[in-house]
Amino acid sequence: MNPPEENDINWDETVPMLPLRDIVVFPGMTAPLFVGRKKSIAALDHAFTTPSRHIMLASQKDAALDDPSQKDINKVGCVAEVSQILRLPDGAIKALIIGKKRGRILEFVKGENHLLVKCEPLAETSAGPEQASAALSLAKTLFDKYSKLNQNVPREAVDALKGMDDAGQFADAVAANVIPRIEDRQKALEALDVKSRLELLISSLQEEIEILQLERKVRNQVKKQMEKSQRDYYLTEQMKAIQKELGKGDGERGEFAELKDKILKAKMPKEVEKKALKELSKLEQMPPMSAEGTVSRNYIDWLVDVPWSATTQDKLDIAEAAKILDEDHYGLDKVKERILEYLSVRKLVEKMKGPILCFAGPPGVGKTSLGKSIARAMGRKFVRFSLGGVRDEAEIRGHRRTYIGSLPGRIIQSMKKAGTKNPVLMLDEIDKVASDYRGDPAAALLEALDPEQNVAFNDHYLEVDYDLSEVMFITTANALHTIPRPLMDRMEVISIPGYTDGEKENIATKYLIPKQVAEHGLAKDSLAISPEALRKIIRNHTRESGVRNLERELAAVCRKAARKTAEKAGGGKSGTKARKIEVTAQNLVDYLGEIKFRDELKEAKSGTGVATGLAWTELGGAMLKIETTIMDGKGKFILTGKLGDVMKESAHAALSYIRSRGKEFGLKKGFQEKIDIHIHIPEGATPKEGPSAGVTLAVSMVSALLNIPVSNEVAMTGEITLRGQVLAIGGLREKLLAANRAGVKTVLIPEENEKDLKDVPANVKQGLSIAVVKNMDEVIKLALTSSPWKKKVKKAEPLKHPRVKHRPTPGSAGVALN
Ligand code: ADP
């Protein structure tokens, strides 16, 4: 770059003007220009023919314009000399120009083919020498840094520039090369103050340096990564070679071959096999022990382990099945009958699309063990999993295979456990499936259970369709109302309400005791539990509808017995046979400790304000004691014991009924305003809800208000209306069972439920006197120990005695043993 010579410029003359598109020419700069536009070629030709060869070079404001007008051209430009012109074959011109001096266009003059301009020179204003030299040295340092980062700047140019002392010239020379944007270069050209031109340059240099540094960093990272994977590849290959040399050989190869073998032997459907083999070839490419290798390996293992073709041969011998069901379970005749019907249909129809069995009932009534028996009878494998608390669809359908530790859903897991394509798969607690933002597990279940869809069940982990159509699904539930409707529609419900004490004794003697005795390693006849002791265990150590706790208590007895036997055998003379252990009602306390439940009903005296209701819970039927106390007060109505809203409404309905009958009961008008009524339901930890406690609430209140005791042998259930009508209730079987267990003598049930009595097994009704009632008057008459109408009954319509639908069979009070 030469110092510009400006002496020979004649500023009075007009000079041709060339608009520049994408370049800004600075004084002192030599640059080639490629020119194609006609006007521009004319301007260059003109300049080249003048003695001075001067031309004004000014940049366009918008590079895209082909024919810029005066206003589109920056006024500040550079007067330059055209030193060479070369005509190119396509008519364009390459011209070499040398920048001379900054100039401002004062006036445009229209020439023949191009523009001419009249200009004035622009002189640099220079700051104080100190400021300028400080800015200059900073700019030089930055330029040095820049040139080191940018390999494109030639070394000689750098040296030449560094040696420059004139700040203005240095700024021009560097700006022409370093500043990236045309507008910024134009600003540098227009900056007549050297210091501000240097500042522009400094900020541009800083920006450029930053960009270059960033680029370098990214380049380095990419390079490092590439080096690492090359290194890994190289090392893996080396390791393989070393292993081969050591003769361990084809360690990995062998493993892959083994895996391939397994895939081929698994008898997968063709497309699954294809997928597995593809995954295997991917695995072979992966570095061993890498994360993706593990994920891929696990996936192949799952594909291999899930049963694709293994099945068990169905045994469909109905007589044999009946034998097995009887062998495993006492009673349950209706349930067994229904199961046998189901199996018969299955025998006749090749692929059954019928409903899925759902065993519904409280815990411990044998739902699971029935499922096991069915599997045993059919010669199928049995697997189960619980849906209790499952909220995430992925638990049913699996997690996508994106991270280490993802697994197929529970259904596919169970299939692997079963090892055959046609197991009996029991889905426990289907009434406890919940759904939330993690998807709807019920929808996934529906797909699995629906015979139309389950031929191609889709598990997210497995990714390939799995055929569930040969699986026999059985579900279990405690309550039916929480089962999602669409699922409910697919199922046939078989209810198992629970056992009476008599049935429990039979189950214990015939099934549970022999089972526990064997499990505890005791000899067959070494333990005798007397009938009284057994009855005591059932009544006073457990309170349940099923026999789960009973089995647990019997196991406890067996444990103690086993210890006694072992101690005796250890200390005794060898050869003597261990003495038989006898458990009686008297020594039971040594085995099970103090009793846990008292026979409340038997012990309770008839009391005022205390009535016994019957309730339905998920654990089966239950007794519900309701207490009412009357105190002097101001008409407050207090309800305690965790009552639900429906219970509270029932209590208010009961009070309204009593008030409407106040006169007949001999209660003074407005009696309720001078007293507080407190109703409490003990065992407050359990929430109580449901309308069927209405009659019990009313009886308890009437008894307390009139001070007439309620008979302790009566239990009742029924919804109540404001006019004292008694409405139907649900769960009659379970409630009667609870009454039976508790030793209640008389049960009052709504007349509307009379039709349901035929579905209640005879042994449940045994020992109970069941009366159907239409209204509260009938209830009160039966429940209270004396009539509240004593004085006024003459005037009132004589009450018919409520009909007793069922009377206890003579001598059958208590439990029947057979
Ligand atoms: P659930 O699945 O209904 O909660 P289980 O099937 O686990 O109940 O039963 C608990 C225990 O009681 C099991 O050992 C089962 O064999 C036994 N059991 C239940 N009902 C009967 C019955 N009717 N006869 C014989 N054993 C029974």
Side-chain angles (χ1 to χ4, degrees):
M1 216 166 277
N2 304 316
E5 306 153 24
E6 51 172 291
N7 302 343
D8 51 353
I9 299 176
N10 184 352
W11 295 98
D12 296 333
E13 275 180 11
T14 56
V15 284
M17 204 277 309
L18 173 62
L20 301 171
R21 272 187 210 265
D22 48 10
I23 181 171
V24 175
V25 175
F26 285 85
M29 170 178 167
T30 305
L33 290 182
F34 290 89
V35 181
R37 289 183 280 188
K38 275 208 183 90
K39 277 189 183 174
S40 303
I41 293 173
L44 271 173
D45 278 341
H46 181 182
F48 203 58
T49 51
T50 60
S52 63
R53 297 185 180 176
H54 283 156
I55 188 165
M56 178 60 173
L57 300 173
S59 60
Q60 291 178 203
K61 288 177 184 164
D62 178 0
L65 293 177
D66 271 338
D67 188 11
S69 59
Q70 297 174 9
K71 65 175 189 329
D72 299 322
I73 294 167
N74 284 310
K75 296 290 173 288
V76 176
C78 183
V79 175
E81 182 192 321
V82 183
S83 85
Q84 266 179 31
I85 275 188
L86 189 67
R87 281 174 211 284
L88 300 174
D90 61 355
I93 281 183
K94 180 185 173 189
L96 193 68
I97 52 97
I98 303 162
K100 293 286 180 191
K101 174 80 181 148
R102 280 179 170 76
R104 187 198 312 275
I105 300 172
L106 295 173
E107 191 186 331
F108 286 91
V109 183
K110 217 164 164 33
E112 221 168 293
N113 297 315
H114 56 88
L115 283 171
L116 295 161
V117 285
K118 193 146 191 319
C119 312
E120 64 168 356
L122 291 174
E124 276 178 358
T125 55
S126 119
E130 273 166 36
Q131 283 175 329
S133 80
L136 179 63
S137 90
L138 176 58
K140 279 189 174 175
T141 316
L142 288 172
F143 178 68
D144 190 39
K145 204 166 173 188
Y146 169 83
S147 60
K148 281 187 183 135
L149 286 166
N150 188 347
Q151 306 296 329
N152 295 333
V153 185
R155 208 59 247 162
E156 316 78 71
V158 178
D159 292 341
L161 281 164
K162 278 209 284 196
M164 237 180 223
D165 291 330
D166 185 305
Q169 278 176 24
F170 175 81
D172 282 349
V174 178
N177 291 299
V178 172
I179 296 179
R181 281 181 298 270
I182 291 293
E183 310 87 81
D184 293 341
R185 285 190 190 188
Q186 178 68 29
K187 271 189 204 150
L189 186 69
E190 287 174 14
L192 298 181
D193 173 24
V194 175
K195 191 177 147 246
S196 59
R197 198 183 312 159
L198 279 170
E199 278 165 2
L200 267 174
L201 183 68
I202 286 168
S203 87
S204 254
L205 276 169
Q206 277 168 334
E207 227 172 86
E208 286 303 295
I209 288 171
E210 243 168 65
I211 292 173
L212 286 171
Q213 278 173 336
L214 203 67
E215 266 176 16
R216 173 175 278 203
K217 199 169 151 199
V218 171
R219 230 186 355 254
N220 281 347
Q221 268 173 0
V222 171
K223 199 169 145 216
K224 252 193 223 155
Q225 259 166 16
M226 272 174 49
E227 275 168 4
K228 185 179 177 311
S229 61
Q230 269 172 354
R231 189 173 144 262
D232 283 358
Y233 176 77
Y234 174 74
L235 288 176
T236 322
E237 287 303 308
Q238 286 236 319
M239 195 156 83
K240 283 183 194 164
I242 291 170
Q243 277 178 342
K244 207 167 176 184
E245 282 307 311
L246 284 173
K248 290 194 185 154
D250 318 306
E252 209 173 276
R253 287 284 121 234
E255 209 182 314
F256 289 143
E258 209 173 279
L259 217 48
K260 185 168 179 180
D261 228 37
K262 276 194 195 164
I263 293 173
L264 296 177
K265 278 195 190 132
K267 294 197 192 136
M268 304 170 175
K270 272 283 153 280
E271 66 277 19
V272 180
E273 189 178 285
K274 225 165 96 190
K275 178 140 188 144
L277 291 173
K278 200 167 147 204
E279 189 71 30
L280 179 63
S281 66
K282 265 201 242 163
L283 176 65
E284 285 178 54
Q285 305 304 321
M286 292 177 195
M289 320 304 267
S290 65
E292 68 263 56
T294 316
V295 171
S296 174
R297 176 72 213 236
N298 283 347
Y299 178 61
I300 298 175
D301 282 345
W302 268 103
L303 284 181
V304 169
D305 287 345
V306 173
W308 295 101
S309 54
T311 50
T312 46
Q313 180 72 37
D314 272 354
K315 285 190 283 180
L316 286 169
D317 181 339
I318 304 301
E320 173 74 14
K323 209 178 108 215
I324 289 178
L325 286 177
D326 283 338
E327 247 170 48
D328 294 348
H329 297 96
Y330 171 83
L332 299 175
D333 294 340
K334 279 209 163 152
V335 178
K336 288 177 186 166
E337 207 178 297
R338 179 62 194 94
I339 293 173
L340 292 177
E341 281 167 20
Y342 185 89
L343 295 181
S344 309
V345 177
R346 196 127 193 159
K347 188 173 176 179
L348 300 178
V349 186
E350 183 71 358
K351 260 206 170 160
M352 201 156 112
K353 296 204 166 174
I356 286 146
L357 293 183
C358 171
F359 296 144
V365 292
K367 301 182 293 293
T368 313
S369 74
L370 275 170
K372 282 188 192 155
S373 287
I374 294 177
R376 186 155 87 91
M378 294 177 82
R380 290 189 175 208
K381 288 271 180 355
F382 178 81
V383 272
R384 60 184 281 230
F385 69 89
S386 173
L387 291 162
V390 167
R391 300 171 162 275
D392 190 347
E393 189 180 352
E395 285 203 46
I396 307 292
R397 222 196 258 290
H399 287 281
R400 298 208 181 269
R401 187 164 46 95
T402 38
Y403 60 93
I404 304 183
S406 53
L407 278 179
R410 301 262 193 104
I411 293 188
I412 295 296
Q413 289 184 32
S414 303
M415 294 311 293
K416 175 178 164 185
K417 209 152 92 201
T420 59
K421 259 181 89 182
N422 63 340
V424 171
L425 175 47
M426 182 167 257
L427 309 176
D428 271 332
E429 304 195 306
I430 196 154
D431 53 332
K432 309 276 191 305
V433 216
S435 74
D436 63 11
Y437 61 94
R438 282 167 288 192
D440 184 2
L445 273 182
L446 205 60
E447 194 186 315
L449 296 179
D450 186 351
E452 302 293 335
Q453 300 183 49
N454 68 10
V455 184
F457 176 71
N458 177 267
D459 184 278
H460 288 158
Y461 179 86
L462 229 47
E463 284 176 4
V464 288
D465 287 343
Y466 188 84
D467 179 5
L468 288 173
S469 63
E470 289 177 55
V471 177
M472 176 171 177
F473 287 101
I474 299 179
T475 61
T476 77
N478 292 137
L480 295 176
H481 61 271
T482 51
I483 302 181
R485 192 74 233 170
L487 273 177
M488 191 73 186
D489 289 345
R490 297 263 174 289
M491 301 192 293
E492 176 177 335
V493 177
I494 298 182
S495 299
I496 311 174
Y499 300 113
T500 60
D501 285 356
E503 286 172 319
K504 285 185 188 174
E505 279 185 48
N506 274 311
I507 294 174
T509 346
K510 294 185 183 145
Y511 297 84
L512 305 181
I513 297 176
K515 191 164 122 195
Q516 291 303 327
V517 164
E519 273 178 20
H520 286 81
L522 295 166
K524 219 171 164 197
D525 301 319
S526 61
L527 175 73
I529 301 175
S530 76
E532 293 74 34
L534 185 54
R535 231 166 283 161
K536 202 165 171 186
I537 298 177
I538 292 170
R539 294 192 69 85
N540 302 122
H541 286 271
T542 64
R543 179 170 289 173
E544 57 176 349
S545 302
V547 290
R548 186 169 291 169
N549 290 331
L550 175 59
E551 188 169 22
R552 213 169 283 151
E553 296 294 324
L554 290 172
V557 172
C558 290
R559 265 201 311 277
K560 286 257 162 46
R563 183 167 169 194
K564 277 193 179 168
T565 317
E567 277 170 0
K568 269 186 203 152
K573 290 165 227 150
S574 59
T576 44
K577 236 179 103 189
R579 261 189 38 231
K580 188 168 178 167
I581 293 175
E582 299 201 14
V583 181
T584 61
Q586 286 70 40
N587 70 8
L588 185 62
V589 64
D590 301 338
Y591 292 85
L592 294 181
E594 291 303 325
I595 58 169
K596 297 188 184 83
F597 305 99
R598 281 176 297 130
D599 285 333
E600 280 176 57
L601 217 60
K602 269 190 196 154
E603 287 167 16
K605 295 203 176 69
S606 299
T608 49
V610 184
T612 308
L614 294 168
W616 180 93
T617 73
E618 286 196 10
L619 305 179
M623 307 297 283
L624 187 73
K625 274 237 175 322
I626 300 186
E627 301 174 358
T628 306
T629 336
I630 308 292
M631 300 158 281
D632 290 341
K634 290 187 175 141
K636 260 198 284 177
F637 200 46
I638 309 156
L639 295 158
T640 52
K642 271 214 167 178
L643 309 196
D645 286 342
V646 180
M647 284 284 242
K648 287 179 185 160
E649 279 164 22
S650 295
H652 283 283
L655 181 62
S656 300
Y657 157 76
I658 295 169
R659 283 173 60 192
S660 72
R661 294 295 162 96
K663 217 165 157 194
E664 294 171 35
F665 291 149
L667 292 167
K668 288 202 185 88
K669 204 167 171 217
F671 70 92
Q672 79 280 3
E673 277 153 26
K674 298 196 184 62
I675 52 168
D676 286 346
I677 303 176
H678 184 172
I679 298 178
H680 179 69
I681 304 191
E683 288 180 57
T686 24
K688 295 139 201 126
E689 186 57 323
S692 72
V695 292
T696 324
L697 281 160
V699 167
S700 155
M701 282 157 73
V702 171
S703 159
L705 282 165
L706 306 184
N707 205 12
I708 305 174
V710 184
S711 160
N712 67 344
E713 295 180 337
V714 177
M716 61 207 82
T717 175
E719 188 176 344
I720 178 178
T721 68
L722 290 180
R723 288 149 172 264
Q725 298 298 309
V726 178
L727 303 182
I729 46 88
L732 184 66
R733 266 202 297 184
E734 287 83 355
K735 286 177 177 175
L736 291 181
L737 207 59
N740 185 314
R741 266 203 304 276
V744 167
K745 292 229 169 69
T746 307
V747 179
L748 313 184
I749 65 164
E751 190 181 41
E752 288 177 37
N753 286 104
E754 188 178 343
K755 59 180 188 324
D756 305 328
L757 273 176
K758 64 175 187 313
D759 297 331
V760 180
N763 60 351
V764 176
K765 291 185 275 194
Q766 209 174 40
L768 288 179
S769 164
I770 301 168
V772 296
V773 289
K774 256 201 319 254
N775 53 43
M776 269 314 291
D777 294 349
E778 292 178 357
V779 174
I780 287 171
K781 191 161 177 55
L782 288 169
L784 298 190
T785 48
S786 59
S787 167
W789 288 281
K790 255 177 268 167
K791 292 160 203 156
K792 307 209 168 185
V793 83
K794 276 171 235 149
K795 276 186 214 156
E797 194 187 326
L799 250 180
K800 268 205 327 226
H801 196 283
R803 287 173 298 143
V804 173
K805 284 315 292 178
H806 181 89
R807 287 184 193 285
T809 14
S812 70
V815 278
L817 267 177
N818 43 20

